[in-house]
């Protein structure tokens, strides 16, 4: 006689548990696959390295020694600051590093119909990305249209506002200038699209051509310059000028040069700082290339921990005066959160200093065209969104 069969144990729990484990495994694999997909462009985004004739040319530069580029004065990218713990401030700091509401964007209005010989307009698209319209020519500075300033599309500082125009809406460009190879100034995706859509040359400091090479920019569209060297584009003389900063897209620093830029037509002159600490070179540039109708001055992402490589707003006003500048137009603020100060602090401090020192100032909204000879009055628009 058979023993009575034990009732079958319910299997639902085991099935659910197994299903959840399977789903978790699949989710983990999907997450890894997603990370791998997001990271696929990182090695290429890091750019190229000095080699061959490019390395030989760099080695002849007065700025190059012991295998890297150097500032004229001894500087440190990070300096110890008393009572200033960056990690603590980053996590627990009370600064308001983002605007409260959307940054107002402006669709650029048509450029005014003026004598081309006197034309000078500026369209600031956000951060350092700026279009200079000068004597019938169009020069684009440090173009970054990506959502993040990072080698990865998944992580890194993200835009606080959209670009006011698409890349395919830009006018025909005569030159594209890059000040240095940090991600908020040199963006692989933007370079690739500009290479496909435009025919303008890229004017860059020494070494940055290695990055452009790797990203598919034709060699005949890459013009590498050392400080004080000039290249003619149509009727413009474009000069690579000194700056006080550093470079690097990976672990290696200062393998490429950094610079400011002078854009000079027959009658009009523009100066762009790139990223720089305050240094004596501004007075030298002003004496040699000024006076300037307008200066595009870096005012944001400063800190006491890196005083030698980014100017405080008050220093930017001093630099503008050293340069013999006319109109002061601030850049390098509003678009990316790259420092610990409040989002609106750079331009608030700038406005106060400009009034105190009787400096002509224009603070456009992103996308707003500034006619240098007739700039809009400063209206404090950023205070309504801070």
């Amino acid at each position: 006689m058979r023993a009575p069969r034990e009732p079958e144990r319910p299997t639902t729990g085991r099935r659910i548990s197994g299903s959840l484990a399977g789903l978790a495994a699949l989710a983990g694999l999907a997450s890894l696959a997603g990370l791998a997909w997001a990271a696929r462009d990182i090695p290429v985004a890091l750019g190229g390295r000095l080699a061959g004739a490019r390395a030989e040319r760099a080695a002849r530069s007065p700025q190059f020694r012991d295998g890297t580029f150097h500032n004229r004065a001894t500087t440190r990218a990070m300096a110890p600051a008393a009572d200033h713990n960056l990690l603590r401030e980053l996590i627990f700091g009370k600064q308001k590093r983002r605007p409260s509401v959307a940054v107002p964007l402006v669709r650029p209005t048509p450029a005014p119909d003026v004598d081309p010989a006197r034309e000078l307009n500026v369209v600031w698209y956000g951060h350092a990305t700026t279009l200079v319209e000068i004597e019938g020519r169009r020069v684009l500075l440090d173009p970054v249209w990506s959502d993040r300033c990072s080698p990865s599309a998944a992580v890194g500082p993200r835009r606080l506002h959209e670009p006011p125009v698409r890349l395919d809406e830009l006018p025909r460009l005569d030159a594209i200038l890059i000040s240095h190879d940090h991600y908020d100034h040199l963006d692989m995706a933007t370079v690739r699209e500009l290479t496909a859509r435009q025919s303008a040359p890229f004017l860059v400091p020494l070494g940055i051509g290695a990055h452009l090479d790797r990203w598919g920019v034709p060699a005949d569209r890459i013009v590498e310059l050392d400080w004080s060297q000039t290249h003619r584009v149509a009727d413009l003389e474009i000069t690579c000028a000194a700056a006080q900063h550093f470079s690097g897209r990976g672990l290696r620093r200062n393998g490429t040069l950094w610079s400011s830029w002078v854009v000079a037509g027959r009658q009009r002159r523009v100066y762009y700082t790139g990223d720089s600490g305050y240094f004596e070179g501004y007075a030298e540039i002003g004496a040699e290339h000024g006076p300037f109708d307008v200066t595009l001055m870096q005012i944001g992402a400063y800190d006491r921990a890196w005083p030698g490589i980014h100017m405080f707003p008050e220093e930017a006003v001093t630099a503008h005066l050293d340069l013999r500048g006319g109109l002061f137009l601030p850049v390098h603020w509003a678009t990316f959160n790259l420092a610990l100060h409040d989002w609106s602090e750079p331009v608030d401090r700038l406005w106060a200093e400009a009034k105190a020192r009787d400096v002509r100032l224009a603070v456009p909204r992103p996308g707003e065209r500034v006619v240098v000879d007739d700039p809009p009055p400063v209206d404090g628009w950023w205070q309504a969104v801070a």
Side-chain angles (χ1 to χ4, degrees):
M1 183 174 177
R2 294 181 180 177
R5 287 175 58 185
E6 293 184 6
E8 293 185 5
R9 294 177 182 176
T11 59
T12 305
R14 290 200 302 272
R15 287 173 182 163
I16 291 175
S17 176
S19 297
L20 288 175
L23 287 172
L26 286 174
L29 288 172
S31 177
L32 288 173
L35 288 173
W37 177 259
R40 71 195 187 284
D41 283 338
I42 289 179
V44 180
L46 293 176
R49 293 178 69 93
L50 286 175
R54 182 171 282 117
E56 293 173 5
R57 185 182 176 198
R60 295 192 295 269
S61 168
Q63 282 61 250
F64 193 86
R65 61 182 182 275
D66 301 324
T68 60
F69 289 96
H70 294 261
N71 290 305
R72 290 177 177 172
T74 301
T75 57
R76 297 175 65 177
M78 292 286 288
D83 303 321
H84 195 47
N85 184 303
L86 290 177
L87 183 59
R88 182 185 64 214
E89 285 292 301
L90 183 64
I91 299 172
F92 300 110
K94 303 299 183 183
Q95 303 92 344
K96 190 175 181 183
R97 297 194 289 269
R98 296 172 178 272
S100 298
V101 296
V103 175
L105 306 181
V106 176
R107 296 284 300 177
T109 55
D113 186 13
V114 298
D115 177 3
R118 293 294 304 166
E119 180 194 38
L120 185 54
N121 312 313
V122 175
V123 183
W124 174 62
Y125 295 121
H127 199 58
T129 303
T130 309
L131 178 70
V132 175
E133 302 171 331
I134 177 171
E135 297 181 12
R137 304 297 177 182
R138 303 292 178 263
V139 179
L140 186 63
L141 309 176
D142 283 351
V144 175
W145 258 259
S146 288
D147 190 47
R148 297 182 187 273
C149 55
S150 166
S152 168
V155 296
R158 195 168 192 173
R159 301 184 72 95
L160 301 177
H161 66 81
E162 293 295 317
V165 300
R166 301 189 310 269
L167 270 171
D168 62 0
E169 295 178 297
L170 290 177
R172 187 186 69 81
L173 301 172
D174 294 280
I176 302 163
L177 310 187
I178 306 296
S179 65
H180 62 295
D181 71 0
H182 288 159
Y183 294 101
D184 57 322
H185 294 258
L186 179 63
D187 175 57
M188 179 180 71
T190 302
V191 165
R192 284 177 162 176
E193 190 162 350
L194 287 171
T195 301
R197 293 185 177 278
Q198 299 275 350
S199 59
F202 290 82
L203 276 62
V204 300
L206 291 177
I208 290 180
H211 301 324
L212 304 187
D213 273 346
R214 190 171 188 190
W215 301 338
V217 180
D220 62 359
R221 289 181 60 185
I222 301 173
V223 180
E224 290 184 80
L225 301 173
D226 201 349
W227 292 349
S228 300
Q229 291 183 334
T230 297
H231 182 77
R232 179 172 286 276
V233 175
D235 300 323
L236 302 177
E237 288 190 347
I238 301 177
T239 300
C240 180
Q244 185 169 283
H245 199 54
F246 70 106
S247 66
R249 297 177 71 82
L251 297 178
R252 183 171 181 265
R253 281 190 172 176
N254 301 337
T256 64
L257 187 59
W258 47 96
S259 74
S260 60
W261 289 98
V262 174
V263 180
R266 288 192 172 96
Q267 300 186 51
R268 313 310 301 260
R269 289 178 175 266
V270 178
Y271 178 77
Y272 167 50
T273 59
D275 278 6
S276 180
Y278 178 78
F279 72 125
E280 293 179 355
Y282 288 124
E284 297 172 10
I285 294 168
E288 183 174 357
H289 298 284
F292 295 100
D293 298 285
V294 59
T295 64
L296 311 175
M297 307 295 291
Q298 169 254 306
I299 65 161
Y302 50 79
D303 195 277
R304 286 180 293 148
W306 51 86
I309 59 168
H310 277 180
M311 286 184 287
F312 292 87
E314 296 80 6
E315 291 178 315
V317 172
T318 298
H320 168 84
L321 294 171
D322 289 348
L323 289 159
R324 302 164 65 203
L327 182 68
F328 184 124
L329 196 151
V331 299
H332 206 269
W333 77 284
T335 307
F336 295 109
N337 179 7
L338 301 176
L340 298 175
H341 55 64
D342 286 348
W343 175 80
S344 62
E345 181 186 297
V347 73
D348 281 333
R349 288 174 60 169
L350 169 66
W351 196 11
E353 187 72 5
K355 286 187 286 190
R357 302 180 72 175
D358 196 26
V359 166
R360 291 175 62 231
L361 179 65
V363 185
R365 295 156 178 79
E368 183 179 4
R369 176 177 277 103
V370 173
V371 178
V372 171
D373 292 336
D374 186 24
V378 181
D379 60 6
W381 62 264
W382 62 90
Q383 295 174 344
V385 302

